């Protein structure tokens, strides 16, 4: 492969490549390594990821006592922090079955402000000192006197906590997150920001940093409702590619805030609805008229019904072709039905999904089954049905909810806990490379062909095979005569490829130490 001015200029045989060797600036011998397009992570929160990488990470805590010990040690090690930040607790797997109380956190921090988000980032436990920074928080929806905060109360305390992060610390976190992504072979990141998530200074600062410093590309989405052309122009003025990402129609299953048609199996309610169909329709209509991509966060079946009803209403007003051409997107899209899948295909909605969610919370005894019961849980994340219907898929991590792990993500989709939802390794790989570019409106990238951006990764891997999830896939696809390219074997429990080098726009942004 020959790269020139940031793009792939030529791809061919090794013998023919020798003719180029004398006229290039650098020759990279592969020594048998695999080269693939760089991955695109289609849903991330980079500042939060960087803060988790450099700060308090509770994802490995095995119980309440260990979590409190980690909080105590973190507080002692960061005496100058105005607000202590942590992420990743999941009390569902702890012996105590509950998160830390406010009194326990007050004691562990010595009364300092502390914000600890749950693994899904849709609820948090905090200290009294942080609540004191948010006047009126006790009157907001989702406030609990001594339990995790959700909905508006959670958004308010998160804004207060992140406001205490200095610009320098924020930039350091963003650099750490981009460097970590590059080390995993990721060349593009879709930042899903918004006023309830990170703030304008965080968003514009991240885009400026990504433009000025080497590393993975950053495509920014700003989750704010748009009512007219003026609102759309404001979104563009921030540097956003669209008014999409985490524009919340509902919350999450883990925090009992995803909006369901029927009550939770372990709670006597149906979650939280943040937007109605009329509001969805108004947003999609205004964005489509302005030539701006729209999108929503929707997880529960009721939330997804709301999205479909709203987008369909916009199509009825503007015409189906205009809405389809805009490539609006839906983040997470977990509790789909055959009817909503068909509507996604009809409306050309991209499903921006996270296979690692199924790996973490699927199965007969996982969190999904606890929240919904086993029967409903088995319907979640139906990737095979989406692909059969022609729905575009883009894979991501929602980092820091799940980590940057692209080959693990491909494996999670190919070996979905529900067998009927599995897709081929090739299909999953495409969703995590070309699919992310298409979700951002680019059809010329995510592949290594002449003219495409030279975004690629070099991997140390085992044998290359054509891997299918089960015997339902036609035998011809695994026959060498089919010409289907091989990819690393990703059997569960086996080793994953190791990234040796990541290149973005022809520029090396990661090299594995000692390589």
């Amino acid at each position: 492969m020959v790269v020139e001015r940031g793009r792939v200029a030529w791809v061919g045989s090794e013998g023919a490549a020798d003719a180029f060797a004398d006229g290039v600036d650098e020759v990279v011998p592969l020594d048998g390594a695999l080269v693939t397009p760089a991955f695109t992570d289609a849903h991330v929160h980079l500042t939060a990821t960087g803060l988790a990488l450099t700060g308090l990470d509770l994802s490995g805590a095995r119980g309440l006592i260990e979590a409190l010990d980690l909080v105590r040690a973190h507080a002692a090690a960061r005496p100058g922090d105005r607000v202590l930040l942590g992420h990743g607790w999941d009390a569902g797997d702890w012996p105590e079955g509950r998160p830390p109380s406010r009194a326990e956190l007050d004691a562990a921090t010595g009364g300092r402000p502390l914000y600890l988000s749950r693994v899904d980032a849709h609820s948090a436990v905090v200290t009294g000192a942080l609540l004191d920074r948010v006047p009126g928080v006790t009157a907001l929806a989702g406030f609990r006197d001594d339990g995790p905060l959700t909905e508006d109360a959670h958004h308010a305390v998160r804004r207060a906590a992140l406001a205490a992060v200095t610009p320098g610390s924020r930039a350091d976190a963003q650099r750490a997150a981009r460097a970590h992504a590059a080390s995993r072979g990721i060349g593009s990141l879709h930042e899903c920001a918004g006023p309830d998530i990170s703030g304008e200074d965080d968003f514009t600062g991240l885009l400026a940093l990504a433009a000025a410093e080497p590393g993975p590309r950053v495509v920014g989405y700003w989750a704010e409702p748009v009512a007219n052309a003026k609102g759309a122009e404001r979104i563009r003025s921030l540097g956003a590619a669209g008014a999409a990402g985490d524009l919340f129609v509902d919350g999450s299953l883990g925090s009992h805030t995803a909006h369901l048609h029927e009550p939770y199996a372990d709670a006597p309610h149906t979650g939280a609805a943040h937007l109605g169909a009329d509001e969805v329709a108004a947003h999609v209509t205004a964005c489509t008229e302005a030539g701006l991509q729209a999108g929503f966060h929707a997880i529960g079946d009721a939330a997804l019904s709301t999205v479909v009803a709203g987008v369909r209403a916009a199509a009825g007003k503007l015409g189906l072709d205009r809405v389809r051409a805009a490539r609006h997107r839906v983040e997470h899209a977990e509790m789909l039905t055959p009817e909503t899948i068909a509507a996604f295909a009809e409306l050309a909605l991209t499903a921006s999904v996270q296979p690692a969610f199924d790996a973490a919370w699927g199965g007969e005894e996982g969190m999904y089954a606890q929240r919904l019961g086993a029967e409903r849980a088995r319907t979640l994340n139906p990737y095979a049905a989406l692909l059969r219907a022609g729905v575009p898929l883009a894979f991501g991590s929602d980092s820091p909810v799940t980590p940057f792990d692209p080959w693990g993500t491909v494996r999670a989709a190919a070996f979905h806990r529900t067998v009927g939802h599995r897709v081929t390794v090739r299909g999953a790989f495409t969703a995590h490379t070309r699919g992310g570019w298409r979700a951002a409106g680019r059809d010329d990238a995510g592949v290594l062909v002449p003219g495409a951006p030279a975004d690629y990764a070099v991997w140390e891997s085992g044998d290359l095979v054509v891997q299918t999830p089960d015997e339902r896939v036609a035998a011809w696809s695994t026959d060498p005569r089919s010409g289907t390219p091989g990819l690393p074997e990703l059997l569960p429990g086996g080793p994953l490829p190791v990234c040796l080098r990541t290149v973005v726009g022809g520029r090396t942004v990661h090299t594995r130490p000692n390589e």
Side-chain angles (χ1 to χ4, degrees):
M1 182 168 70
V2 176
V3 172
E4 187 174 15
R5 291 191 289 274
R7 291 187 173 269
V8 177
W10 176 89
V11 178
S13 69
E14 184 173 356
D18 291 341
F20 293 95
D22 291 339
V24 299
D25 297 321
E26 180 186 15
V27 175
V28 180
L30 294 176
D31 299 323
L34 170 69
V35 178
T36 71
F39 286 99
T40 294
D41 193 314
H43 190 120
V44 303
H45 305 282
L46 284 172
T47 302
T49 296
L51 291 171
L53 288 169
T54 60
L56 176 55
D57 181 2
L58 294 180
S59 60
R62 292 165 293 183
L64 176 62
I65 302 303
E66 183 176 347
L68 289 170
D69 286 343
L70 290 169
V71 169
R72 193 173 294 109
H74 182 73
R78 308 290 284 264
D81 287 8
R82 292 182 290 175
V83 173
L84 299 166
L85 301 170
H87 172 76
W89 59 268
D90 185 358
D93 294 329
W94 291 355
E96 300 85 356
R98 66 171 180 86
S101 68
R102 193 162 301 139
E104 288 168 333
L105 293 175
D106 287 342
T109 61
R112 295 168 63 190
L114 168 74
Y115 169 84
L116 286 182
S117 52
R118 189 183 180 277
V119 63
D120 61 4
H122 282 270
S123 59
V125 289
V126 302
T127 57
L130 182 58
L131 290 179
D132 292 342
R133 291 174 173 242
V134 189
V137 66
T138 59
L140 296 177
F143 179 82
R144 296 170 63 189
D145 188 53
D146 197 17
L149 307 182
T150 61
E151 300 182 69
D152 292 345
H154 175 228
H155 296 160
V157 296
R158 175 164 55 189
R159 281 194 296 270
L162 294 179
V165 179
T166 66
S169 295
R170 187 169 61 214
D172 288 345
Q174 293 165 353
R175 290 188 183 98
R178 291 179 74 226
H180 187 59
S183 76
R184 297 297 187 265
I186 297 170
S188 293
L189 301 152
H190 293 188
E191 169 72 10
C192 293
D196 289 330
I197 301 164
S198 55
E200 286 188 21
D201 289 345
D202 181 284
F203 183 63
T204 57
L206 169 63
L207 296 182
L209 182 145
E213 299 181 7
R217 304 173 192 266
V218 177
V219 178
Y221 287 96
W222 184 254
E224 188 172 325
V226 171
N228 48 42
K230 183 177 179 181
E233 186 54 38
R234 199 190 93 75
I235 299 295
R236 286 196 174 95
S237 72
L238 296 174
D246 277 335
L247 182 52
F248 296 118
V249 179
D250 68 345
S252 74
L253 291 165
S255 292
H256 290 99
T257 52
H259 189 207
L260 314 182
H261 283 304
E262 300 294 333
Y264 284 88
D266 59 351
H269 60 79
T270 57
H274 299 305
L275 294 176
D278 289 347
E279 293 165 299
V280 170
H283 180 69
V284 171
T285 298
C287 287
T288 303
E289 289 179 326
L292 188 67
Q293 191 178 27
F296 304 92
H297 162 119
I299 287 178
D301 51 1
L304 288 161
S305 294
T306 296
V307 169
V308 164
V311 179
R312 187 169 277 148
K317 179 178 180 179
L318 301 175
L320 179 60
D321 289 346
R322 285 187 71 186
V323 169
R324 286 176 58 87
R327 299 192 187 187
H328 303 308
R329 54 191 281 172
V330 182
E331 309 300 316
H332 314 309
E334 295 200 74
M335 288 186 72
L336 289 159
T337 65
E339 292 75 23
T340 48
I341 290 171
F344 268 48
E346 173 197 357
L347 300 165
L349 296 173
T350 294
S352 171
V353 297
Q354 296 75 39
F357 287 8
D358 175 73
W361 303 311
E364 295 297 304
E365 298 181 357
M367 183 271 287
Y368 290 152
Q370 295 170 20
R371 294 289 184 270
L372 302 172
E375 184 176 351
R376 274 192 296 179
R378 281 191 289 269
T379 69
L380 264 60
N381 302 303
Y383 304 138
L386 286 163
L387 286 180
R388 283 196 300 270
V391 176
L393 291 186
F395 283 177
S397 63
D398 200 9
S399 180
V401 176
T402 63
F404 294 137
D405 181 16
W407 287 113
T409 294
V410 172
R411 177 159 67 187
F415 294 94
H416 197 294
R417 290 176 180 270
T418 301
V419 172
H421 298 334
R422 293 176 176 177
V423 299
T424 65
V425 169
R426 171 62 55 179
F429 175 80
T430 300
H432 214 349
T433 49
R434 196 170 193 179
W437 283 92
R438 286 174 166 171
R442 292 278 300 273
D443 293 332
D444 63 337
V447 289
L448 298 179
V449 297
D455 291 17
Y456 61 91
V458 181
W459 305 92
E460 179 184 278
S461 69
D463 293 338
L464 303 183
V465 298
V466 177
Q467 203 165 342
T468 58
D470 55 55
E471 67 278 359
R472 294 175 301 114
V473 178
W476 66 264
S477 67
T478 59
D479 189 315
R481 291 172 295 179
S482 71
T484 304
L487 286 169
E489 187 172 71
L490 301 177
L491 290 172
L496 293 172
V498 175
C499 184
L500 304 178
R501 177 185 291 239
T502 305
V503 176
V504 175
R507 184 175 187 178
T508 299
V509 297
H510 167 75
T511 303
R512 188 184 182 202
N514 302 319
E515 294 296 337

